[in-house]
Amino acid sequence: MLDNLKKYDIILASNSPRRKELMSGLGVDYVVRTLPDVNESYPDTLVGGEIPEYISREKADAYRSLMRPRELLITADTIVWLNGKVLGKPSGREEAIKMLRALSGKSHQVFTGVCLTTTDWQKSFTVASDVQFDDLSDEEIEYYVDRYRPMDKAGAYGVQEWIGYIGVKSISGSFFNIMGLPIQKLYVELKKL
Ligand SMILES: Cc1cn([C@H]2C[C@H](O)[C@@H](COP(=O)(O)OP(=O)(O)OP(=O)(O)O)O2)c(=O)[nH]c1=O
């Protein structure tokens, strides 16, 4: 599959273990490179899915000077969007607890922006998933935060972890998008190249 990609050396520039896992499941040859530090700020005119799409392009631009001809770069960014506000990665235990209390009993959206870059062109897209959380008790929230330390995850949760098992009532859209990479949409976009 995806024989059209043989003309490219595919690079996933990401420090996220979930993105590596999902990319590996696609069955194409690729290498992982460390992403240089990226300033993840964005213009305050952006909303929802525009935000991670913008940041995915910023991540690509941070890596671009290292690129060679033939290389196809993949970068991505995930945010949780609750009541018109971004929940990024929590700064510590207290913020993680606060975020999960805010998500408890409500539905929110997860947006992942993906950017495909070569030395000649750049293309980006966003995928949205809706997630409905059941009511979470303080005991459940603290158990999860202390045991799983979700400080590396947008919105302070991993849908693929215990909190997703016990707390997520329903999802509309791609599960893998919530985990950090909309792999089905990425496959469709790669097929077009
Ligand atoms: C909402 C949610 C997020 N996440 C993860 C996916 C992303 O790795 C992380 C959001 O942070 P990002 O800034 O999107 O990515 P990152 O810093 O982990 O990796 P990169 O080097 O590519 O910039 O949250 C889950 O694993 N499960 C979930 O349910």
Side-chain angles (χ1 to χ4, degrees), residues 13-47:
S14 174
N15 309 321
S16 162
R18 278 83 46 180
R19 295 205 173 109
K20 289 173 203 167
E21 185 191 326
L22 291 170
M23 194 61 204
S24 294
L26 205 53
V28 296
D29 289 336
Y30 76 100
V31 294
V32 180
R33 295 277 158 75
T34 304
L35 195 62
D37 268 343
V38 178
N39 173 4
E40 294 200 11
S41 59
Y42 53 86
D44 59 12
T45 49
L46 300 184
V47 292

Side-chain angles (χ1 to χ4, degrees), residues 12-19 33-36 38 40 52 55 59 74-80 88-89 108 110-113 131 144 150 152-161 163 175 177-181:
L12 173 69
S14 174
N15 309 321
S16 162
R18 278 83 46 180
R19 295 205 173 109
R33 295 277 158 75
T34 304
L35 195 62
V38 178
E40 294 200 11
I55 297 172
K59 289 179 180 179
I74 301 173
T75 51
D77 191 74
T78 301
I79 62 158
V80 166
K89 294 179 190 173
H108 65 270
V110 178
F111 295 105
T112 296
V131 181
Y144 173 69
D152 61 339
K153 297 190 179 72
Y157 78 93
V159 68
Q160 68 276 24
E161 296 178 340
I163 197 81
F175 175 86
N177 184 50
I178 306 167
M179 259 180 82
L181 198 63

Side-chain angles (χ1 to χ4, degrees), residues 19 32-34 49 61 63 66 68 72 97 105 108 116 129 134 139 154 158 169 190:
R19 295 205 173 109
V32 180
R33 295 277 158 75
T34 304
D61 291 345
Y63 191 86
L66 303 170
R68 301 196 198 115
L72 172 63
I97 290 171
H108 65 270
L116 305 178
S129 304
D134 204 348
E139 196 189 352
K169 272 173 97 172
L190 290 175

Side-chain angles (χ1 to χ4, degrees), residues 6-192:
K6 295 248 157 72
K7 57 183 181 268
Y8 294 116
D9 297 324
I10 300 178
I11 297 171
L12 173 69
S14 174
N15 309 321
S16 162
R18 278 83 46 180
R19 295 205 173 109
K20 289 173 203 167
E21 185 191 326
L22 291 170
M23 194 61 204
S24 294
L26 205 53
V28 296
D29 289 336
Y30 76 100
V31 294
V32 180
R33 295 277 158 75
T34 304
L35 195 62
D37 268 343
V38 178
N39 173 4
E40 294 200 11
S41 59
Y42 53 86
D44 59 12
T45 49
L46 300 184
V47 292
E50 295 167 352
I51 296 167
E53 193 171 330
Y54 176 89
I55 297 172
S56 74
R57 288 196 299 266
E58 292 285 293
K59 289 179 180 179
D61 291 345
Y63 191 86
R64 219 168 183 167
S65 63
L66 303 170
M67 284 187 73
R68 301 196 198 115
R70 273 177 58 89
E71 287 183 338
L72 172 63
L73 178 73
I74 301 173
T75 51
D77 191 74
T78 301
I79 62 158
V80 166
W81 182 253
L82 174 71
N83 298 331
K85 289 210 181 84
V86 174
L87 302 186
K89 294 179 190 173
S91 55
R93 181 179 188 274
E94 291 319 308
E95 202 189 357
I97 290 171
K98 224 170 114 187
M99 284 185 181
L100 288 169
R101 281 191 188 138
L103 293 169
S104 169
K106 298 205 188 72
S107 65
H108 65 270
Q109 286 177 305
V110 178
F111 295 105
T112 296
V114 178
C115 185
L116 305 178
T117 306
T118 68
T119 48
D120 297 328
W121 54 263
Q122 186 169 63
K123 173 178 190 170
S124 59
F125 57 88
T126 298
V127 175
S129 304
D130 290 306
V131 181
Q132 168 77 53
F133 259 105
D134 204 348
D135 290 327
L136 302 170
S137 67
D138 280 350
E139 196 189 352
E140 287 163 342
I141 289 174
E142 285 176 33
Y143 171 88
Y144 173 69
V145 170
D146 290 335
R147 186 160 290 211
Y148 288 84
R149 316 282 314 155
M151 277 45 109
D152 61 339
K153 297 190 179 72
Y157 78 93
V159 68
Q160 68 276 24
E161 296 178 340
W162 181 82
I163 197 81
Y165 295 5
I166 65 111
V168 172
K169 272 173 97 172
S170 66
I171 294 170
S172 173
S174 160
F175 175 86
F176 300 119
N177 184 50
I178 306 167
M179 259 180 82
L181 198 63
I183 199 74
Q184 194 272 336
K185 170 77 172 163
L186 179 59
Y187 175 75
V188 169
E189 293 300 325
L190 290 175
K191 215 159 53 164
K192 289 186 204 160

